[in-house]
């Protein structure tokens, strides 16, 4: 899996960022917002990886037609396109699926 924003520190130590949590805020009568919580990971020469910082990035889903590339997690190659509306539909459908699984096992 490619590492986002990977940088070599001294040729043997590298830093990169990864998202470890996704928060979707979908308040009634408001524009949905998505936030990706990130870890800054440092890879050491002995193969250990340590978390050396945290950050985040957010966006409001103002324009449902705003497009973005779909990336293959294995190599970052572009495998298609989507938009905020497609992501919203996917998350809505996933919520309904998971809630239904929960409710049928009660």
């Amino acid at each position: 899996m490619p590492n986002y924003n990977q940088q070599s520190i001294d040729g043997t130590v590298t830093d990169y960022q990864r998202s470890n949590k996704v928060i979707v805020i979908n308040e009634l009568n408001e524009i949905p917002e998505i936030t990706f919580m990130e870890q800054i990971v440092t890879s050491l020469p002995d193969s250990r990886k340590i978390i050396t910082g945290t950050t985040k990035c957010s966006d409001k889903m103002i324009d449902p037609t705003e497009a973005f590339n779909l990336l293959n997690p294995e190599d970052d190659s572009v495998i298609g396109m989507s938009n905020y509306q497609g992501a919203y539909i996917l998350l809505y459908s996933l919520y309904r699926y998971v809630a239904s699984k929960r409710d049928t096992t009660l």
Side-chain angles (χ1 to χ4, degrees):
M1 180 182 310
N3 295 322
Y4 177 72
N5 205 19
Q6 184 167 319
Q7 304 173 54
S8 177
I9 306 296
D10 65 3
T12 60
V13 175
T14 57
D15 281 346
Y16 64 92
Q17 289 169 247
R18 64 182 299 275
S19 176
N20 64 318
K21 294 178 188 169
V22 180
I23 302 165
V24 178
I25 300 172
N26 187 27
E27 298 295 339
L28 189 62
N29 299 322
E30 298 205 12
I31 297 170
E33 180 176 2
I34 190 161
T35 300
F36 296 91
M37 305 304 294
E38 297 173 307
Q39 297 173 323
I40 300 170
V41 179
T42 299
S43 296
L44 302 174
D46 63 3
S47 299
R48 287 184 298 146
K49 295 180 182 195
I50 56 174
I51 309 302
T52 55
T54 59
T55 187
K56 66 180 178 178
C57 57
S58 299
D59 200 13
K60 288 196 178 264
M61 298 181 191
I62 295 170
D63 178 4
T65 66
E66 184 174 337
F68 55 89
N69 290 330
L70 296 175
L71 305 176
N72 180 335
E74 294 298 317
D75 62 11
D76 263 357
S77 62
V78 176
I79 58 173
M81 295 285 297
S82 191
N83 56 32
Y84 278 140
Q85 183 175 18
Y88 188 82
I89 290 167
L90 178 71
L91 290 170
Y92 171 80
S93 300
L94 182 58
Y95 160 67
R96 293 295 296 260
Y97 172 73
V98 171
S100 177
K101 278 178 46 173
R102 174 202 60 201
D103 296 341
T104 57
T105 61
L106 295 179

